[in-house]
Amino acid sequence: RTRRNGIELGLDWFIGDAWRLKTSYTYADYEFRVFTEDGQSLRGNQLPGIPRHDASAELLWEPSPDSYVGLTGQVVDSVYVDNANSAQAAGYALAHLRAGHTWHHNSGQITVYGRLRNLFDRAYPANVRINLDGGGFFEPAPGRHGFVGVKIGF
């Protein structure tokens, strides 16, 4: 059995005519209540793979209904990678940038958009393999990376 307590909060605040602040926060206190592994009681241990704190905030500039630029900060707490809580994947903080613009034409519209993730090229775990035998719990995330897209509507 487990006990799962937590809270999620979000705020979408319009600051003036063209600025917007979007935030979210999750607190997760998940622990084993009745659980044994290899004859050991793991009561009170945190469930692996779930960060206790996870927060993000985006400052978004929308100078017109057709354009936007957003800067996002993301902070994720460390996570245990095994039921015994003997090893952890480190927490991390990241920044991302996104932008886009739409042009309207008589017959439709063209939108160009892009995103640059991990702006400061931080090393962090993209995926954690829970209870993996022989270690190797962490899979590294890509460094700084991005994409550009075009959407055409008729």
Side-chain angles (χ1 to χ4, degrees):
R1 290 190 336 203
T2 61
R3 179 183 55 84
R4 299 171 188 235
N5 292 326
I7 187 167
E8 292 184 354
L9 303 171
L11 173 69
D12 193 350
W13 183 28
F14 292 88
I15 309 166
D17 292 334
W19 294 91
R20 186 174 174 185
L21 179 64
K22 296 165 45 170
T23 64
S24 66
Y25 171 74
T26 301
Y27 172 76
D29 183 19
Y30 297 175
E31 69 177 42
F32 292 115
R33 301 303 289 160
V34 177
F35 185 69
T36 56
E37 187 174 78
D38 298 329
Q40 294 267 29
S41 171
L42 299 181
R43 178 183 175 87
N45 283 13
Q46 293 293 309
L47 269 63
I50 302 169
R52 187 171 287 220
H53 304 278
D54 187 340
S56 68
E58 180 182 42
L59 183 60
L60 190 61
W61 179 52
E62 298 171 303
S64 76
D66 296 324
S67 300
Y68 65 89
V69 177
L71 178 63
T72 303
Q74 176 185 15
V75 179
V76 179
D77 202 3
S78 61
V79 296
Y80 287 107
V81 297
D82 62 352
N83 292 338
N85 291 176
S86 64
Q88 286 184 308
Y92 54 88
L94 301 174
H96 315 294
L97 183 65
R98 69 184 181 109
H101 183 77
T102 300
W103 291 271
H104 298 275
H105 301 284
N106 293 339
S107 60
Q109 62 188 27
I110 297 173
T111 301
V112 176
Y113 57 93
R115 181 175 292 238
L116 185 59
R117 294 189 48 82
N118 195 1
L119 198 57
F120 300 111
D121 201 25
R122 303 282 179 159
Y124 70 100
N127 193 13
V128 176
R129 301 292 180 170
I130 306 300
N131 295 315
L132 189 64
D133 288 335
F137 298 106
F138 320 104
E139 292 181 10
R144 183 182 309 112
H145 62 285
F147 67 86
V148 174
V150 176
K151 184 169 109 176
I152 301 172
F154 300 99

